[in-house]
Amino acid sequence: MEGTNKKSRLAMPEQEPKVRARNFEEVPLGYTPEMAIAEAGRCLQCKNPLCVQGCPVGVDIPGFIKHIADGKFDLAIGKIWERNSLPAVCGRVCPQEIQCEGNCILGRKGEAVAIGNLERFAADWERAHHVCELPSREKATGKKVAVVGSGPSGLTVAGDLILKGHEVTIFEAFHKPGGVLVYGIPEFRLPKDIVASEVSCLQAQGVKIECDVVVGRTETVDELFELGFDAVYLGVGAGLPRFMNIPGENLVGVLSANEYLTRANLMKAYLFPKVDTPIPQGRHVVVLGAGNVAMDSARTAMRLGAEKVSIVYRRSRAEMPARSAEIHHAEEEGLNFELLSNPVRYLGDEKGRLTGIECVRMELGEPDSSGRRRPVTVPGSEFVIECDLAIVAIGSGANPLLTRSTPDLPLGKSGYILANPETGKTGKKAVWAGGDIVTGAATVILAMGAGRKAADSIHEYLTWGW
Amino acid sequence: MFTIVNREEMAGGTVILNEIEAPRIAAKARPGQFLILKANENGERIPLTMAETDPEKGTVTVIYMVVGKSTELFRRLGVGDAYQDVIGPLGQPTHIEPGKNVVCVGGGTGVAVLHPIARGMKQAGCDVTSIIGSRNRDLLILEDKMRLASTDLHICTDDGSYGRKGFVTEVLKEKLEAGGVDQVVAIGPVPMMKFVSLMTREYGVPTMVSLNPIMIDGTGMCGGCRVTVGGETKFGCVDGPEFDGHQVDFDELILRLRAYTEQERCSHERCKWEEGGAA
């Protein structure tokens, strides 16, 4: 195919920045079969593939790419499903540059194989054609596992254990399954019908999902055992929003990113008034923070019709934690960056509505314990950013709702659950945990990796005893 | 799906009672806790404090005033229809201290929330004086139940059409003057709770209020319901809904409750217009 060579990868077609910045359609459009075959042809089929080592769930990457190169797309998705039950999600949201693609040998002299794009292609092709058989289940064991939380780690545990012959029920507090995949990551990065499709694939294999059950309130962990479950996996995520604790934070117009994104994504408030949940629409929107959640919030605000959207971040561009591709997309869509700026208070009018944020300029000092250069306030540098909506995206902590109702579950600092990093075992008998509730806010694929390890450990426990 | 097994219209059809099949929640719920309800696929999540629970029947009861699009959708559900989602029990249960001399003050649909608390306190051996009020006789709800839940019941209407003419705070002031009140519980419109709290502060009587901030998830993951209590930010859904009335920043709560007034009006108008078009 024209434009392809061994050194550079085949770029995925995308919506034009000016167009996409105002709609909620997915930004990358996906490979055609011809493009996928061409890109798959670049893979060297290494005997000792480093890319697989970079994948937290160990997908046989050269294996599935070979099938795509041969045009056998149904075999490709089957190969991926052996290790990953959410490929349409992972192909879209994994930070491949620091995982599989970061290890690809081709990346040393040119560009790595576009593994994420190919995984996404295989999953999308299967969703459109439905030809591949679901993986086969082992003989029923009669053992019952409760999975608390239907985010990426919970779905992975459920997918693994159902294939091993156990009965699996997922309990979800929200009215829809998917966790951060449905409430956090926006439609334009991860269409919600794709999440629904991957979840229904698990249900087709026999996984039961009960929504509207808040474990910690509707049922406690101990009550799950009374209901006859033999093991419990806790994958409840890190859903506690952090605020800056500066004056004016409760003004109307200051929202956590969790609230803003939940309204927009889970409640589909971008369709208001066709749906009933409203969302504040600012003219000048300021997003505090510079991680992926901040980029998602800012790009959502742009799509909701803001005239100007600014990212306010206390460090410099080099320290921004968001994926470079997301920052690049945000820039193309016209976002404004106020770097080396730190908010000190919110300003409001007599109706309690936000009118601006007072910030100070920062400069970078010596590296801190995280290895990043510590921002230091420049005295006398106060300035005001006028705005009518502020979204706080400075991270999240451990929600104590479940852990407070489980007093014998050992917790670490900041309320995260203590679990063995290799097995996911907690200090409470027959209870495992993984994902953000153990590690703090991390990535989808790391949560899935934790789920995989826990599922192996739960299976051993159910088979052989502890 | 959560089926409605009993439905009553109160206060001239402006206040609706729904008894809903939800065995799991009914088995767990305690006075003071709330539910999140969603009528249908496109509906929003609305918090309502439970007015009653029946663990044997496996039902929970909510009583709400029809004020906007969502409560309008709820109103249209009949017996046999179902809410798509009911989540709970959420929030902290009421802290009940046995043997106290308590005055329970309720206004409007707040009486529905007050009732299980008053009853719980009476069952715990408290002496319960209740003062309930509404704008007029037609809008008064749960008089009989409140009479059973109280040692002594006072009724006020703004226009004097029933009971005593005037505000609940006037009767409360007499009780406070007479002395011997250990605790006041006030549930109703925010301005009413604010005035009760200002009054009881003068008499140094501890006062509990049940707040109704805007909520989305109801499980502590978004902070949409945050309120300032004693100078600190609290989440209404997990730390509340009940708080010390002397510590609550009511003015901030009133402003925050108005955050979506314009959208709420638009949504409700559209809903009424659609109903008109369909008829």
Side-chain angles (χ1 to χ4, degrees):
Chain A
M1 174 167 274
E2 215 177 318
T4 37
N5 59 50
K6 281 285 173 196
K7 281 200 169 161
S8 56
R9 63 165 64 186
L10 195 63
M12 191 180 273
E14 290 180 342
Q15 277 197 74
E16 286 298 318
K18 278 202 174 125
V19 176
R20 73 181 195 232
R22 299 298 187 186
N23 70 44
F24 277 84
E25 309 287 317
E26 209 177 355
V27 171
L29 300 169
Y31 281 156
T32 61
E34 295 73 28
M35 295 166 98
I37 291 170
E39 179 62 23
R42 293 180 63 229
C43 175
L44 299 179
Q45 294 292 316
C46 301
K47 286 276 176 291
N48 182 18
L50 295 173
C51 55
V52 178
Q53 294 174 25
C55 173
V57 295
V59 168
D60 177 0
I61 293 166
F64 92 79
I65 290 182
K66 178 77 170 57
H67 289 312
I68 293 181
D70 294 343
K72 295 175 180 162
F73 304 144
D74 54 336
L75 297 181
I77 190 67
K79 185 54 79 182
I80 298 171
W81 273 347
E82 286 172 9
R83 301 293 298 171
N84 184 352
S85 49
L86 308 171
V89 171
C90 291
R92 286 171 166 83
V93 305
C94 277
Q96 287 99 1
E97 65 276 12
I98 57 165
Q99 293 175 335
C100 54
E101 293 178 11
N103 278 10
C104 175
I105 201 91
L106 285 183
R108 299 196 185 165
K109 286 191 174 161
E111 285 184 314
V113 174
I115 301 166
N117 290 354
L118 291 170
E119 182 182 37
R120 170 188 159 146
F121 167 80
D124 290 356
W125 190 87
E126 162 57 24
R127 211 174 52 256
H129 296 86
H130 292 291
V131 289
C132 187
E133 279 180 29
L134 291 172
S136 58
R137 277 188 77 180
E138 284 172 33
K139 200 165 131 286
T141 63
K143 301 284 185 183
K144 291 171 70 179
V145 181
V147 173
V148 183
S150 66
S153 87
L155 292 175
T156 302
V157 169
D160 281 13
L161 291 177
I162 200 81
L163 292 184
K164 293 183 196 300
H166 309 297
E167 275 182 52
V168 183
T169 304
I170 300 181
F171 295 98
E172 167 58 43
F174 267 134
H175 55 274
K176 274 196 183 129
V180 74
L181 307 177
V182 293
Y183 78 75
I185 302 174
E187 185 79 13
F188 54 85
R189 279 219 290 140
L190 180 63
K192 299 308 147 217
D193 58 352
I194 291 178
V195 180
S197 163
E198 303 228 309
V199 169
S200 66
C201 204
L202 286 174
Q203 286 172 302
Q205 291 168 49
V207 173
K208 289 187 207 119
I209 301 181
E210 292 198 32
C211 288
D212 297 338
V213 179
V214 186
V215 175
R217 294 264 197 244
T218 319
E219 306 282 357
T220 63
V221 172
D222 288 320
E223 284 162 350
L224 293 177
F225 288 112
E226 288 166 24
L227 287 171
F229 289 100
D230 299 288
V232 174
Y233 176 77
L234 305 174
V236 294
L240 183 79
R242 289 217 178 97
F243 287 93
M244 293 194 70
N245 298 317
I246 57 177
E249 203 141 43
N250 291 345
L251 287 165
V252 171
V254 182
L255 278 77
S256 73
N258 271 8
E259 176 180 354
Y260 188 67
L261 292 174
T262 299
R263 284 177 180 274
N265 301 327
L266 178 74
M267 306 312 296
K268 298 203 181 294
Y270 64 89
L271 299 173
F272 182 88
K274 282 184 192 153
V275 302
D276 298 340
T277 305
I279 191 162
Q281 276 168 301
R283 278 197 303 280
H284 185 186
V285 181
V286 168
V287 177
L288 309 179
N292 289 323
V293 173
M295 296 304 138
D296 285 346
S297 304
R299 295 173 70 196
T300 297
M302 204 72 196
R303 283 157 173 78
L304 284 168
E307 285 161 22
K308 187 178 178 190
V309 181
S310 305
I311 296 270
V312 171
Y313 182 49
R314 64 198 179 114
R315 301 186 203 241
S316 75
R317 180 171 212 90
E319 288 82 18
M320 286 171 66
R323 285 182 71 187
S324 57
E326 299 308 322
I327 299 171
H328 179 66
H329 275 143
E331 258 179 341
E332 283 184 334
E333 291 167 14
L335 267 75
N336 176 49
F337 290 86
E338 285 280 354
L339 302 173
L340 290 165
S341 304
N342 202 27
V344 289
R345 66 188 174 109
Y346 298 94
L347 310 169
D349 63 16
E350 72 288 347
K351 288 179 179 164
R353 289 181 184 266
L354 179 72
T355 56
I357 305 177
E358 185 180 312
C359 300
V360 284
R361 294 284 177 207
M362 310 296 280
E363 56 191 17
L364 292 180
E366 295 301 306
D368 63 13
S369 58
S370 75
R372 297 185 298 181
R373 292 176 63 193
R374 186 191 301 275
V376 186
T377 304
V378 178
S381 64
E382 288 80 5
F383 67 103
V384 171
I385 303 175
E386 285 181 17
C387 61
D388 50 1
L389 183 60
I391 299 159
V392 187
I394 56 167
S396 49
N399 188 322
L401 202 131
L402 179 137
T403 50
R404 265 187 210 154
S405 72
T406 321
D408 55 344
L409 184 68
L411 304 182
K413 68 175 171 75
S414 318
Y416 293 107
I417 297 174
L418 286 174
N420 181 316
E422 289 312 310
T423 62
K425 273 184 192 172
T426 70
K428 183 171 165 70
K429 185 170 163 55
V431 176
W432 283 256
D436 288 2
I437 190 58
V438 172
T439 58
T443 61
V444 167
I445 191 72
L446 284 175
M448 292 177 61
R452 163 67 38 78
K453 288 177 181 171
D456 289 345
S457 173
I458 293 169
H459 178 62
E460 279 174 25
Y461 167 77
L462 294 176
T463 311
W464 309 108
W466 208 318
Chain B
M1 301 294 271
F2 298 81
T3 308
I4 296 172
V5 297
N6 182 25
R7 180 182 185 278
E8 287 172 33
E9 295 197 356
M10 304 165 144
T14 59
V15 175
I16 310 288
L17 175 150
N18 281 164
E19 186 179 355
I20 307 163
E21 217 167 53
R24 220 176 207 152
I25 301 172
K28 260 293 170 48
R30 289 164 59 196
Q33 290 188 300
F34 69 94
L35 306 171
I36 294 269
L37 302 101
K38 186 160 85 62
N40 56 35
E41 184 61 28
N42 288 336
E44 61 177 332
R45 296 166 62 102
I46 297 291
L48 287 175
T49 301
M50 282 172 275
E52 193 96 53
T53 57
D54 188 335
E56 271 108 71
K57 251 173 102 183
T59 60
V60 294
T61 300
V62 289
I63 296 177
Y64 53 86
M65 182 176 280
V66 179
V67 290
K69 165 88 187 263
S70 289
T71 41
E72 177 60 36
L73 288 178
F74 293 0
R75 184 180 69 83
R76 293 180 193 175
L77 298 173
V79 171
D81 292 338
Y83 284 87
Q84 191 170 63
D85 300 282
V86 177
I87 299 119
L90 299 170
Q92 303 295 333
T94 308
H95 176 71
I96 293 176
E97 274 186 66
K100 295 280 177 179
N101 196 352
V102 186
V103 177
C104 290
V105 188
T109 45
V111 176
V113 177
L114 185 68
H115 170 248
I117 297 170
R119 190 178 54 185
M121 288 183 158
K122 195 178 174 210
Q123 281 166 353
C126 293
D127 185 84
V128 180
T129 299
S130 296
I131 311 165
I132 59 172
S134 60
R135 285 210 308 278
N136 59 50
R137 180 174 194 155
D138 291 341
L139 295 176
L140 191 73
I141 60 168
L142 297 179
E143 180 190 344
D144 294 345
K145 290 200 166 189
M146 280 306 292
R147 201 173 296 284
L148 286 172
S150 318
T151 336
D152 184 19
L153 178 72
H154 300 261
I155 294 167
C156 308
T157 51
D158 296 2
D159 66 354
S161 53
Y162 189 52
R164 181 166 159 170
K165 179 173 167 32
F167 297 127
V168 286
T169 39
E170 290 163 19
V171 184
L172 175 65
K173 194 173 174 71
E174 290 164 17
K175 298 286 166 197
L176 292 167
E177 280 295 334
V181 178
D182 298 321
Q183 194 193 9
V184 168
V185 179
I187 304 176
V190 183
M192 174 273 220
M193 293 193 283
K194 178 185 166 183
F195 284 123
V196 167
S197 299
L198 284 172
M199 181 183 286
T200 57
R201 193 206 298 260
E202 283 175 36
Y203 294 86
V205 177
T207 298
M208 188 190 86
V209 294
S210 180
L211 303 186
N212 57 341
I214 292 173
M215 289 187 192
I216 300 101
D217 61 289
T219 61
M221 65 159 279
C222 85
C225 63
R226 55 199 196 277
V227 287
T228 302
V229 182
E232 276 181 51
T233 294
K234 300 278 182 192
F235 286 7
C237 69
V238 289
D239 300 314
E242 291 167 10
F243 291 101
D244 175 354
H246 296 162
Q247 303 282 325
V248 171
D249 185 337
F250 287 104
D251 294 335
E252 180 188 271
L253 175 63
I254 289 170
L255 294 172
R256 287 183 65 79
L257 282 167
R258 288 185 194 146
Y260 296 95
T261 310
E262 192 48 39
Q263 285 107 314
E264 283 161 2
R265 196 191 53 76
C266 152
S267 195
H268 196 191
E269 288 298 318
R270 191 183 153 104
C271 173
K272 285 192 278 194
W273 179 81
E274 281 168 357
E275 188 186 38

